[in-house]
Amino acid sequence: EVQLVESGGGLVQAGGSLRLSCAASGFSFDDYAIGWFRQAPGKEREGVSCISKSDGSTDYADSVKGRFTISSGYGKNTVYLHMNTLNPEDTAVYYCAAVLRWECSLGADFYSDRESAYWGQGTQVTVSS
């Protein structure tokens, strides 16, 4: 079964940290670009960070640059989003997405191919003030 699952969300106080995980089953991340997105109620889905297959390069939204880090652990089918110095503006449902591309993008439409793109169901992150 092809599946993409996020985990690690929860409630944290402002200034705290959280680590999200994106795990794939039924396919390998080796051939995919991976992106993290978030969506708050009533707001447009925002690209947070991504990592490219081509050279492992990464990209970050200006709103999280310097605070968030995307990485791949020992397990090749798991990608992490380390979130530090969280603030209430980071509150959202966080999604990971994968697409069969060499380079990643922070645009959600980039991960829209029906045959080669996958999305998780999301994990809630709530940051209290």
Side-chain angles (χ1 to χ4, degrees), residues 30-115:
D30 290 349
D31 302 322
Y32 288 77
I34 312 297
W36 280 100
F37 298 82
R38 66 186 182 186
Q39 188 165 23
K43 294 188 176 181
E44 184 178 352
R45 184 168 296 185
E46 174 190 18
V48 175
S49 182
C50 69
I51 185 166
S52 297
K53 169 190 176 183
S54 59
D55 57 1
S57 62
T58 59
D59 196 13
Y60 298 91
D62 289 340
S63 59
V64 307
K65 194 170 298 182
R67 299 188 298 118
F68 290 11
T69 303
I70 190 170
S71 65
S72 178
Y74 176 77
K76 295 183 181 297
N77 270 18
T78 304
V79 171
Y80 304 98
L81 184 67
H82 302 261
M83 306 185 295
N84 298 316
T85 320
L86 288 162
N87 58 63
E89 289 73 35
D90 297 315
T91 296
V93 177
Y94 283 70
Y95 302 88
C96 66
V99 67
L100 195 64
R101 296 285 190 276
W102 284 101
E103 299 180 0
C104 77
S105 172
L106 295 180
D109 290 344
F110 188 75
Y111 306 85
S112 62
D113 191 285
R114 294 181 179 180
E115 294 184 353

